[in-house]
Each structure stands twice: as C-alpha cells, then as structure tokens.
Amino acid sequence: MIRFSLKKLPLQRKLLVYFLVFGAIILVILWAFQSFFVKPLYTMSKSMRVDKGAKSISRAVERNKNVWATVDNVALKYTLSVYLYDAGAGLPKLARECSYENTAIRLNLEYSDILHYYEKTVDNGGKCSFTDSNDVDDMVRQRMEILKNSAASADSVNAKVHLSGVSENESLVYTYIIERSDGRQTFLVITSSITPLNTTLEVIKNQMLLVSVAFVLLSLVFSFYASRRIAKPIAQTNRAAKELAKKNYEIEFNASGYREVEELNNTLNYTKTELAATEKLQRELIANISHDLRTPLTMITGYGEVMRDLPGENTPENIQIIIDEATRLSTLVNDLLDLSKLQSGALQAQKQVFNLTDSVRAILERYSKLVEQEGFDIRFESKEEVFINADELRISQVIYNLVNNAVNHAGEDKTVIITQTVRDKLVRIEVIDHGEGIPADKLPYIWERYYKVDKEHKRGVIGSGLGLSIVKSILDAHKAHYGVRSTQGKGSTFWFEIAYDNVKKRKTKDK
C-alpha cells in the first residue's frame, strides 16, 4: 500500500520523503553506534595502548637499561599504573610502582591480588591479559556521601552524577614474567582503568539528543530545498512537454539546473522543431496529393464529357489524353502504395545477382522519346560491366526516379549525366544535372515526401513527385549509402553506393 502511494507522489514530495528517510537512517546508525559500540571500541583502544606500553617496558627490563625512566615515560604517556616485582623464589616482591591514573578510579591491588595474578600468568605461559574490578575505597565513598548531603546546586548535582558511576572500578590488567639478562625474573603488572563510562555515555547521550534535534531540523530544511531544486526544472520541462503534446510548437524548453535537464531540454527543443516541420510537411503532402489526384481526374472527366456531348470530339488524340492522365493517376497511386509498404517494412527486398550496367542502359532507353521531342541530352558513362546482389526491380526504380528528378530540374542545356564508378568493392552511381541547385539549408529535407524547395507545387514532367522518398526507403532497405551535392545556379548530383559482385571475375577464379 505504501509503495503504491509513493508512486503517486509528485517528484518533489517523493524526493523529500527519500531525504528524510535517509536522515532517519543516519540518526539510527549514530544512536546504535553510541549505544553498542562506544565501550567495545574504548576497551580495544585501551588494550592496544597497554600492550604497546608493556612491550616498551619489557624490552627495557630484558636489557636492564633505562628501566625506571622507561616505566615513568610509559605510565605518563598512556596514563597507566605500572608495578614491577622481583619474582625470586616464586614470591613477587614490589620493586617499583608508578601510576598516573586518577586515585578515585584506579584499581586497588592487594598482595593477594598480585599472588593470584602471578599464578595465573605462570599457568598461562608467562603472559596474560584480562579485566578485573573492585569497589572504590572508603575515602571515595566518604567524599560521595559529603557531596550527596551538600546543598543542591548545579555543581553538586554534576559531582553526584560524576561519582554515581564510580561504585565499581573495572580495569584492564596486563601481566608478564620477564627473563632478565642476569637470569632473574621480573613480574610486570600494568593496569588501565576502563571505567567509569557512565558519565561519558551520559554526556554523549545529551549531546546526541541535541545533535539529533539539530540534524532533524537541518534535514527538513535541506530536504525541502534539495527536492525543490531537483524537481523544479523537471516539473517545468513536464509542463512544457504537455503543451507540446497539444501541438503548441511555440513553447520553449528552457529549464536549467543541472546538465541532464539541459540536455533533455535541448533534445525536446530539437524534437519540437522537427515535429513542427513534419506537421507542415504532412499538410503540404495532403495538399499536393489532392492536387495531383484531382488534376488527372479533372482532365479525364472533362475530356470524357466533351467526347460525350460534342459530335466529332471522339478522336484518337482525346482518347490518348485520357489514357495518359489515367496512367499518371495509376503511377501516383502505385507510388503511394510502394512508399507505404517500404516504410512499413511490408515490402521485402528480393535479392539476386544482376547486371547493374545493363539495367541503367535499359532504363535510359525509356527516355528516347523525350530526347527526340524535347531535345534532352541524357548520357551514361561507365568503364566496365558491374554486377550487384540486390533487388533488381527496386534498384531500377531508384535509378529511374533519380533520372526523373534530374530531368524535371535540368537546366537550360537540358543535360543529364549518369556515371558508374567502382572503388573499394563499391559501385557508385551518380546522376548529375545542371539545374538551379538546392540551398544548403534545404538539403536535409529533400528526401521527404512532396518536399518542394521553392514551395511551389508543380506537376513534374515525369513521375509522381514521390520519387526521392521512394529512393530513400529502397536504399535504406539495402543498407546502401546515398546523398546529394548541390550548388545553387550550377546543379545537383545525387549518388548512391552499393557493394558489387563481379560475376565474371568470380567465374574466372572458379575455372
């Protein structure tokens, strides 16, 4: 249920919840550390200091060099109580005592304790460490009673709290039997108090309480600020995206704050521009298709009515016009169907090896009438026969549409040149015209359906007006490279490259 409700929360509130949960986890960890790990860590630290001091004293005793100076330095540096005993005949005799611990909390050792420690060390192989405890001495108890009975004040209350944890003194004890260079033994006892911790823990708890309150307040402020800071640009982008969904292409994506949001807004601004251009092209497409469908239908209807109503108009010329317009209408419909199938992937390429050079020659034969009647100069330049493995019908359609496009936009010289070159196992077909050319900023859009550079729809001399869109779809299906170079006033060159399969050379190798 909680998970479902979190999904419904806005981003800002969700981030606020996450930050607060994170802060709560940090507080729990701090309290757990203070409650369960302070004393073990403190004891481990004390143990390491006692062990380090014991090693220093042991080395000095073994060498019988600077022993008492070493004992004083170690006791002072690590706040220890150090006892050295001569262990002759198994009965330790105090040789030196040095303590820098607080008298109220130090471990009070009796001779019976020393004997017990000595026996325990012998049984343990000459080295032993453990914890021991005893009650505080009578003098400390008397001081506590005096403080308890004193007038209530802030200082006396603090003293009572401080001494309330001193009813039992727990210390870390390190014992070591040292073999000296003269053959005698020295019994080393080092103690270090590890209690009382109650006062320290009480102080830490009070501090933790204050820290927790401050941390909660700071977490609320920071969480609110951070969540708002992170969520605000995303919310702005979301509002702008909703406007874009309503086809409001005037909206601007300008939210900022961090790099990802800026990159997203740049992408959405580009998407907005492309969607606006696409919608404009769609409107033009509908208008152009309507125009191209209506024109032949109008002519067919008009000539049919004339032949019906006027005697003597049933001539071969009028019938031919009707046939030509019907053919143009059929070509347009077929091209629309082909383009739709190609772009949807329903029309799969049927690949086979065929002679590309012969296909180009066969296509150019269709333009013989145009060459004779209109004075066009259509030339094909090639140095060798080239075979490719592709869909012959579709590649022929590509070449036909490119030539149609060149014819429709040929310059005053009415020259169209088709070249075939081979390089790096690729055959390159180029279709060149000397027409008006295409502006550089228009080149990316010429492959769109019915895109017109001059924005004036004209009936092409040949073709349906969908030629370049069909070329693009077919070449994409063959994974071929294609493009266009154009200079205004000098003409355009459309080209494509496709891998060739030289059958003649292959057959020669097989022989």
Side-chain angles (χ1 to χ4, degrees):
M1 191 68 180
I2 295 177
R3 185 178 179 185
F4 176 79
S5 61
L6 281 177
K7 285 184 177 180
K8 297 296 183 180
L9 285 177
L11 178 61
Q12 182 177 346
R13 293 183 182 178
K14 189 179 292 187
L15 287 173
L16 181 62
V17 171
Y18 288 154
F19 279 126
L20 291 178
V21 170
F22 177 74
I25 292 173
I26 296 298
L27 279 179
V28 170
I29 292 174
L30 288 176
W31 276 100
F33 182 84
Q34 184 269 336
S35 301
F36 301 106
F37 298 107
V38 170
K39 186 172 182 180
L41 289 175
Y42 177 75
T43 303
M44 182 176 68
S45 175
K46 279 281 188 178
S47 177
M48 293 174 62
R49 295 171 69 183
V50 171
D51 184 64
K52 190 173 182 179
K55 289 180 179 178
S56 298
I57 295 173
S58 298
R59 285 194 296 268
V61 172
E62 289 173 355
R63 299 171 185 172
N64 197 18
K65 185 177 180 181
N66 298 326
V67 176
W68 308 126
T70 303
V71 169
D72 287 338
N73 289 335
V74 169
L76 175 62
K77 182 178 180 181
Y78 298 114
T79 317
L80 305 174
S81 295
V82 181
Y83 307 88
L84 286 178
Y85 293 87
D86 290 327
L91 296 174
K93 181 180 179 182
L94 181 63
R96 179 67 181 268
E97 174 185 347
C98 182
S99 176
Y100 285 92
E101 289 189 288
N102 190 326
T103 304
I105 62 174
R106 63 183 287 189
L107 186 64
N108 298 311
L109 297 179
E110 302 291 341
Y111 189 70
S112 59
D113 297 325
I114 299 301
L115 289 177
H116 173 68
Y117 294 165
Y118 182 76
E119 292 173 357
K120 189 173 183 179
T121 306
V122 172
D123 294 339
N124 202 51
K127 185 177 181 180
C128 192
S129 62
F130 50 91
T131 57
D132 200 357
S133 61
N134 68 341
D135 292 338
V136 296
D137 55 25
D138 293 336
M139 182 180 68
V140 176
R141 290 186 183 279
Q142 291 175 4
R143 290 174 61 191
M144 290 173 60
E145 290 297 330
I146 292 173
L147 288 171
K148 287 179 180 179
N149 296 326
S150 62
S153 64
D155 291 337
S156 64
V157 170
N158 290 335
K160 287 172 66 179
V161 172
H162 175 71
L163 290 173
S164 63
V166 192
S167 62
E168 187 179 76
N169 181 22
E170 187 177 11
S171 295
L172 180 66
V173 180
Y174 181 95
T175 61
Y176 188 42
I177 298 176
I178 306 170
E179 298 290 341
R180 300 191 329 207
S181 58
D182 57 5
R184 300 171 63 185
Q185 289 184 342
T186 295
F187 183 47
L188 172 65
V189 178
I190 298 179
T191 66
S192 178
S193 174
I194 56 176
T195 56
L197 284 178
N198 291 345
T199 303
T200 304
L201 293 176
E202 191 70 25
V203 172
I204 292 176
K205 285 182 179 179
N206 292 333
Q207 289 180 344
M208 280 295 299
L209 184 60
L210 294 175
V211 169
S212 298
V213 172
F215 186 82
V216 169
L217 294 177
L218 288 175
S219 295
L220 286 171
V221 174
F222 174 78
S223 299
F224 179 78
Y225 172 78
S227 61
R228 182 178 177 82
R229 178 80 174 176
I230 294 173
K232 185 178 180 180
I234 297 178
Q236 290 178 352
T237 302
N238 182 46
R239 287 193 295 269
K242 289 179 179 178
E243 291 297 317
L244 180 61
K246 298 175 183 177
K247 297 186 178 182
N248 179 9
Y249 300 120
E250 300 300 323
I251 192 72
E252 288 293 332
F253 293 88
N254 52 14
S256 61
Y258 38 97
R259 188 182 67 183
E260 289 78 5
V261 169
E262 292 178 358
E263 290 178 353
L264 175 61
N265 280 272
N266 291 336
T267 302
L268 289 173
N269 279 323
Y270 175 77
T271 303
K272 175 199 70 174
T273 303
E274 292 299 310
L275 286 174
T278 300
E279 184 169 349
K280 188 176 182 181
L281 288 174
Q282 286 179 343
R283 290 196 297 267
E284 292 177 358
L285 172 64
I286 294 173
N288 291 332
I289 289 178
S290 300
H291 178 274
D292 279 353
L293 288 174
R294 184 173 59 248
T295 301
L297 287 174
T298 300
M299 295 188 69
I300 291 171
T301 302
Y303 276 90
E305 289 176 349
V306 167
M307 293 170 62
R308 181 195 64 188
D309 298 335
L310 298 176
E313 290 297 326
N314 190 9
T315 64
E317 290 80 7
N318 290 342
I319 294 175
Q320 186 62 46
I321 290 174
I322 293 175
I323 293 173
D324 290 342
E325 294 303 321
T327 302
R328 184 184 296 274
L329 185 61
S330 176
T331 301
L332 176 61
V333 172
N334 288 335
D335 282 351
L336 284 171
L337 290 174
D338 286 348
L339 184 60
S340 177
K341 291 178 181 179
L342 285 167
Q343 292 183 342
S344 66
L347 199 60
Q348 300 296 325
Q350 304 296 324
K351 292 185 178 182
Q352 62 180 4
V353 178
F354 68 94
N355 190 321
L356 177 62
T357 310
D358 285 346
S359 293
V360 176
R361 293 193 186 103
I363 291 169
L364 296 184
E365 289 178 359
R366 304 180 193 177
Y367 295 88
S368 58
K369 184 178 180 181
L370 189 66
V371 171
E372 294 175 1
Q373 295 180 355
E374 302 291 338
F376 276 83
D377 180 15
I378 302 177
R379 300 195 303 264
F380 176 46
E381 299 175 358
S382 65
K383 295 181 180 180
E384 58 181 304
E385 302 289 317
V386 173
F387 292 80
I388 63 172
N389 184 16
D391 189 322
E392 183 175 7
L393 177 62
R394 298 303 166 192
I395 295 299
S396 298
Q397 193 174 4
V398 167
I399 298 170
Y400 182 72
N401 286 337
L402 290 179
V403 174
N404 277 350
N405 183 71
V407 168
N408 291 339
H409 297 90
E412 294 181 359
D413 61 358
K414 295 186 177 182
T415 300
V416 176
I417 303 172
I418 301 95
T419 65
Q420 172 190 285
T421 56
V422 176
R423 184 181 62 182
D424 299 331
K425 297 183 179 180
L426 292 174
V427 58
R428 183 184 182 98
I429 299 293
E430 292 186 348
V431 180
I432 307 165
D433 67 71
H434 300 150
E436 66 275 13
I438 305 170
D441 60 328
K442 308 297 183 183
L443 288 176
Y445 304 103
I446 61 172
W447 306 101
E448 301 292 338
R449 291 174 292 182
Y450 270 119
Y451 182 81
K452 296 294 180 181
V453 175
D454 57 6
K455 300 302 176 185
E456 182 181 351
H457 185 73
K458 302 175 182 178
R459 297 183 68 208
V461 178
I462 301 174
S464 62
L466 299 171
L468 293 181
S469 296
I470 293 174
V471 166
K472 179 181 183 298
S473 299
I474 293 175
L475 293 178
D476 284 340
H478 283 80
K479 297 181 180 178
H481 299 290
Y482 57 92
V484 58
R485 303 189 307 273
S486 185
T487 304
Q488 282 188 278
K490 293 184 179 180
S492 305
T493 300
F494 287 82
W495 60 270
F496 70 89
E497 290 179 338
I498 193 168
Y500 77 93
D501 187 339
N502 203 318
V503 177
K504 290 183 178 180
K505 292 184 179 181
R506 191 173 61 188
K507 287 182 177 180
T508 302
K509 291 181 180 179
D510 293 340
K511 291 179 180 179

